[in-house]
Amino acid sequence: AQTVTQSQPEMSVQEAETVTLSCTYDTSESDYYLFWYKQPPSRQMILVIRQEAYKQQNATENRFSVNFQKAAKSFSLKISDSQLGDAAMYFCAYRARTSGTYKYIFGTGTRLKVLA
Amino acid sequence: EPEVTQTPSHQVTQMGQEVILRCVPISNHLYFYWYRQILGQKVEFLVSFYNNEISEKSEIFDDQFSVERPDGSNFTLKIRSTKLEDSAMYFCASSAPLSNEQFFGPGTRLTVL
């Protein structure tokens, strides 16, 4: 069964600094998708960035980028120039591509605090 | 921009009562999902729905749960006899054909007393 692990329950970063959130996963599939979702206090789930496993190039979205290491099954999120609005829970999620199941499997989340 | 909506935003109910959580997915989406998040814990998959039938469900989704798409727009989750441990945030999500992205609604906070 697929699993997603986020080993950092909480992280802090100074405003304007860079922070990296870790995520590892386990799967026997060769093709899948990985996502980072942000959950602010409103608890809305907001997609931050996604990565297709067949793509070697790391995804980037403005200040957000990932370090995708397929062999190591690692998918970390880097937030550059951190802003107060980045404070939230961040969830890593996995979705298989070809096995016929489309459910997301989420990690336990990392709470990010941004210090002014 | 189209979005998934959910009603109510907060539902309080007595243990043993039935509740229906409602979702309006994005109009051209064909895949629908319910997830649950107990306070302070991770988001867990409950069920997926496609072509008017359940395509997958988790072990959490037992006989007290059911889903329905009663018309062309709504997608509902019914909990027949609520338990204290059903207290959680329930998220609806939908996705378009051939898309890997699920769009989440704002959630319904269910409190069982």
Side-chain angles (χ1 to χ4, degrees):
Chain A
Q2 296 92 356
T3 58
V4 176
T5 302
Q6 293 180 250
S7 58
Q8 306 155 317
E10 191 171 292
M11 293 282 285
S12 295
V13 62
Q14 205 70 37
E15 198 175 4
E17 297 294 307
T18 295
V19 64
T20 299
L21 308 184
S22 301
C23 172
T24 58
Y25 58 94
D26 190 26
T27 182
S28 58
E29 304 276 343
S30 60
D31 203 5
Y32 46 86
Y33 302 100
L34 296 164
F35 306 85
W36 278 99
Y37 276 85
K38 171 184 178 181
Q39 188 182 45
S42 67
R43 300 191 76 182
Q44 172 86 52
M45 296 289 283
I46 302 165
L47 177 66
V48 174
I49 199 165
R50 89 185 92 181
Q51 175 81 41
E52 289 94 339
Y54 65 88
K55 290 185 178 178
Q56 292 187 334
Q57 188 172 7
N58 289 323
T60 62
E61 287 286 342
N62 301 313
R63 298 183 295 108
F64 299 87
S65 61
V66 298
N67 183 5
F68 173 49
Q69 301 289 327
K70 191 172 184 180
K73 295 180 181 172
S74 169
F75 181 61
S76 60
L77 174 70
K78 185 170 87 170
I79 306 174
S80 305
D81 185 26
S82 297
Q83 300 175 0
L84 295 176
D86 294 334
M89 281 291 286
Y90 286 82
F91 291 96
C92 179
Y94 164 99
R95 201 211 91 169
R97 181 186 166 109
T98 56
S99 67
T101 175
Y102 302 132
K103 67 183 179 189
Y104 281 12
I105 298 170
F106 286 89
T108 50
T110 296
R111 181 175 303 282
L112 178 66
K113 295 184 176 181
V114 181
L115 308 172
Chain B
E1 187 175 329
E3 58 183 21
V4 177
T5 60
Q6 290 185 243
T7 54
S9 57
H10 190 191
Q11 173 93 46
V12 181
T13 189
Q14 295 290 325
M15 189 170 57
Q17 294 297 303
E18 174 182 286
V19 295
I20 297 176
L21 310 183
R22 291 183 168 80
C23 169
V24 179
I26 294 172
S27 63
N28 64 336
H29 287 186
L30 298 180
Y31 297 85
F32 313 111
Y33 311 84
W34 284 101
Y35 292 83
R36 179 182 82 175
Q37 185 184 30
I38 295 172
L39 185 63
Q41 298 186 24
K42 67 178 177 182
V43 178
E44 300 173 289
F45 169 77
L46 289 178
V47 65
S48 59
F49 192 85
Y50 170 70
N51 199 25
N52 279 320
E53 60 182 28
I54 291 173
S55 47
E56 187 176 3
K57 60 183 181 179
S58 71
E59 59 272 14
I60 302 169
F61 194 87
D62 61 22
D63 291 345
Q64 69 164 337
F65 292 93
S66 62
V67 289
E68 194 176 38
R69 189 157 159 83
D71 53 42
S73 58
N74 289 283
F75 178 52
T76 63
L77 174 69
K78 182 192 291 186
I79 309 175
R80 260 179 275 282
S81 177
T82 50
K83 305 172 192 169
L84 294 177
E85 54 265 36
D86 293 329
S87 294
M89 195 78 164
Y90 288 81
F91 292 100
C92 173
S94 69
S95 64
L98 304 179
S99 171
N100 58 69
E101 182 179 352
Q102 294 178 20
F103 291 79
F104 284 81
T108 291
R109 182 187 300 274
L110 176 64
T111 302
V112 182
L113 303 176

